[in-house]
Amino acid sequence: MGIVKNISRRNFIKGIGLASGGLILACNTDSLGHMPTEALIKFNPNLFVQLNSDGSLVLIAARSEMGNGVRTSLTSVIADEMEADWNRVTVKQGTGDSKYGNQNTDGSQSVRTFFKSMRKMGATTKAILITAASQKWKVPASECNAENHFIIHKSGKKIGFGGLVEIAKTIEVPKDIQLKSPKDFKYIGKKLPSIDVDDYSNGSAIFGLDQRVPNMKFAAIQRCPVTFGKVISFDKTAAMKVYGVLDVIEIPRIERPFGPLGGVVVIATNTWAAFKGKEALKIEWDKGVNTSYNSEDYMKQLTENVHKKGKELKNKGDIDAAFQNAHKILETTIQLPHLVHTPMEVPNAVAWVQNDTCEVWAPSQAPQRARAEVADFLKIPIENVTMNVTFLGGGFGRKSKPDYVVEAAMVSKAINGPVQVVWSREDDIQHSYFHAVSAQKMKASLDKNGKVTGWQHRVALPSISSTFQPGVEYAGGGETAAAVKAPFEIENFNVEVGKANAHVRIGWLRSVINIPLGFSINVFTDQLAYEAGMDPLDFRMKLIGSDRIEETNSEHKMNTARLKHVLKQAAKNANWGKKLPERHAQGIAVHYSFLSYVASVVEVSVKDNNVKVHKIHTVIDCGTAINKDTITAQMEGAAVFGMTLTFYGKITAKDGAIEQSNFHNYNMLRMPAAPKTHVEIIDNYELPTGVGEPGVPVIAPAIVNAIFKVTGKRYNSLPLSDYNLV
Amino acid sequence: MVALQINGKKHAVEADLDMPLLWAIRDFIGFTGTKYGCGKGLCGACMVLMDGIAVNSCQLPISVAEGKEIITIEGENKNLQLLQKSWADLNVPQCGFCQPGQLITATALLDSNDNPSDDDIETAMSRNICRCGTYQRIKNAINQTVELKKG
């Protein structure tokens, strides 16, 4: 837990994003544990709370808001511990700055990183206010209590928080801070609406795309259709004739993981003119080595690579002997395509370079990374870059990569004025950091009693590491953990990784590797259950086996009892095994990811080639639930995200160029196909764990497993639209 | 020069006659609640009311919009305001970016149909994409608004 200090009278209030005055507390969080030791010795606060004399409470949200509800959930933790009135809270978005600690909003980790520190901040603020009241009234602090923005003396005398600010400013932080008992939580574990809900609904929320700066120009960039290709020459004559086009310039590729791809930039007085000018460009490209990339051939290559011995990641027992002595052997090859994020708000950024400073406004999941990349490009000190974070119209991992932010800085520098770089939807789909295409081979042996005696899992996919270190040929430890740590009691267990070179930029997309691994493990488990003549639920419970807690130094330890519990609850809520109408069936899947346990049961019907998902029952155990409404919403959203990739998601490349371009050929699930999703959140006070991502991986396998029950057909590749199943 | 009637006020816009209304609203007049999502009339993020009908403003040249009554998410419409309240009640938005478009489509539906069935709602709302997946809540919020109106 972090150290909390009263900094109301200190100089370094300047620059933290709060107005002066009021009671200001600061805390350095646990995440500093990852930083060098000097940082631990020096007090480097990164969480701030300000209470003003009018009673208003200002909290800084250092993490990005992209539908994850973080501006509401994290701040509600402070408000709860300090007994504040939620209606008095305003949230200010922090700029991208290391003073706020790690701001990367990905990996479903905002709550779990900040939870303890937020509680301590709130509890400390409350303790200071109680001390202030006891001094004012000259009564023992033990006779005072905090309740709904007031300090109340046992005599009944009360004073609002705001009225204590002046005294509180002078009070040192007490040594012993008492956290609330979870049973007294007022906001934590309840349903709070988003603090921004009205702004979202009346159009006043400012996303990156809505940012305006006086005299701002608009820019669109034509990038090479093939990843890392270069401009040989371009003709701007036609583009310059477009009404509103001001100039056409070239920007080079920057060879860094988050460096822009380079291309030809059209600068205009409005977005439309920039788009139209871009279409009028004539460009000759040197398309480079990646023109050889054809995703269909590539899939064959990946498939071959998992059909031979790969690099061993885990080998327990004797897999060969298990296969030799098997009663039954089962083998399956799983093939999954590239995907792309398509947040509803395309990548975009405003930058304004002036002399040796730059101000940026962007929807960024990684504002510190964006700031650092801009400073590096401009060769100016990082303090000279102000990185404002707007609302994000979706992120899903795309906006963790600030290539589009650097582009804006490049163009602003070139034209010597403020500019907004706007990606078209086509740009977004074709020039992304793609979710990896993958092939997997699963092989297992069963004995006479239907017990799995051997399990072999081979995975080949271009690694995210290839974006950071060109030439990486094998997926790394983080990318294979869910296969290596498959939570099953199997004596002979072997995991290997196959070779896969990257030909496009590979990045992370909501749930990342858990999409292919959650799919293969759950689909194959179902097949095994069928071969063993067992119910898929019973079979899974047996396969997970005894109650075990993972041996790890991490404070988060996987617990098979919790995994089995979500599975049981999902089955119970869905009334697993109930009598269903003809051509209806249920399918089930369970997966542990981002430290959370999720199981889903889906009910589908299949008539002709029409698959309808009627109902999804999802159960999540994410430890202490902060905002149950947000968690429910994330599970509902995950069901839709999962269905989109099940039925439609597929990015393909031909001669190095991405073949999909917009929502007509990269389809999204729409309301008529959307399921009714029921969500149960397991009640406990374990450490809070991930919510944004772990709901996705179970959806596709549960659907495919249900379809099998109706049709007797196994679909081991996605999307289902490839089989004309929609 | 094209004269556009937006949210009850006249705005003169000097641009190509084939420029879609979306960009006049966003880049010239400054109502940024209407969003760009695809530029091809596929996602509904740019939805506005034109003489009461929900249209994809990214597909509508300003020359066609001239002389028509345009209402954006920032505008006034009885059903829109009721829907916005239900949106807040049910905490519909996640990232919020597509919601102005969703609300405009829903407004046009309720303007033309006092008592839409679930099928009516699904058909009308199939013009709008929500990548966060808030469809279930959108549907519930529309149904709640209908119920409130019945009083």
Side-chain angles (χ1 to χ4, degrees), chain B:
Chain B
M1 184 83 78
V2 171
L4 296 170
Q5 179 79 16
I6 298 183
N7 298 335
K9 272 194 186 160
K10 267 214 159 53
H11 299 270
V13 171
E14 196 164 337
D16 258 357
L17 290 178
D18 65 347
M19 182 175 79
L21 176 63
L22 168 67
W23 304 110
I25 293 171
R26 287 184 56 80
D27 294 357
F28 288 75
I29 299 163
F31 287 119
T32 53
T34 306
K35 306 300 186 195
Y36 165 76
C38 69
K40 295 283 191 289
L42 299 165
C43 77
C46 66
M47 214 62 97
V48 297
L49 295 174
M50 182 168 77
D51 288 345
I53 309 287
V55 295
N56 284 305
S57 65
C58 77
Q59 295 300 293
L60 195 83
I62 47 173
S63 55
V64 177
E66 188 165 27
K68 306 280 197 330
E69 181 68 40
I70 308 293
I71 303 282
T72 71
I73 187 69
E74 294 91 349
E76 282 180 27
N77 173 297
K78 217 174 138 197
N79 280 324
L80 174 59
Q81 267 80 64
L82 288 172
L83 285 161
Q84 282 166 330
K85 204 189 155 298
S86 299
W87 248 242
D89 285 350
L90 300 188
N91 201 23
V92 170
Q94 287 188 27
C95 86
F97 190 82
C98 76
Q99 300 298 343
Q102 305 274 3
L103 279 153
I104 292 290
T105 307
T107 301
L109 170 68
L110 296 197
D111 282 350
S112 66
N113 186 345
D114 276 339
N115 195 18
S117 65
D118 273 5
D119 272 358
D120 295 335
I121 294 172
E122 287 176 12
T123 305
M125 299 310 296
S126 69
R127 298 170 72 190
N128 291 70
I129 294 173
C130 173
R131 182 60 154 152
C132 298
T134 61
Y135 299 123
Q136 180 168 330
R137 292 190 188 211
I138 290 173
K139 198 200 277 179
N140 292 345
I142 295 172
N143 275 322
Q144 175 180 305
T145 310
V146 171
E147 291 309 311
L148 280 174
K149 282 177 69 181
K150 285 180 191 164

Side-chain angles (χ1 to χ4, degrees), chain A residues 300-312 331 333 439-443 456-460 474 494-500:
Chain A
K300 284 181 199 146
Q301 185 62 56
L302 286 188
T303 306
E304 274 175 35
N305 292 353
V306 292
H307 277 264
K308 57 191 182 202
K309 185 150 181 62
K311 209 163 90 177
E312 208 165 77
E331 269 189 62
T333 303
Q440 301 176 68
K441 193 184 145 240
M442 321 289 295
K443 186 175 177 182
Q456 185 178 58
H457 189 169
R458 287 199 191 125
V459 190
Y474 292 93
N494 169 268
V495 179
E496 291 171 8
V497 62
K499 199 168 156 179

Side-chain angles (χ1 to χ4, degrees), chain A residues 12 53 126 147 149 178 205 210 245 359 363 374 384 399 403 430 435 467 484 552 577 580 649 676 715:
Chain A
F12 64 25
S53 47
K126 180 176 82 176
E147 203 181 303
H149 236 71
Q178 206 66 41
D210 306 328
V245 168
E359 184 155 11
V374 167
N384 293 16
K399 290 171 184 163
D403 54 337
Q430 300 186 327
H435 171 82
T467 296
V484 170
T552 165
L580 291 166
K676 289 192 179 71
Y715 296 98

Side-chain angles (χ1 to χ4, degrees), chain A residues 509-542:
Chain A
L509 172 145
R510 187 182 192 177
S511 307
V512 206
I513 190 65
N514 295 287
I515 293 171
L517 297 182
F519 184 78
S520 59
I521 293 170
N522 276 288
V523 166
F524 191 53
T525 308
D526 227 68
Q527 256 174 289
L528 289 170
Y530 180 77
E531 287 299 323
M534 284 174 69
D535 175 84
L537 170 65
D538 299 339
F539 186 81
R540 276 183 173 77
M541 297 297 276
K542 273 211 174 130

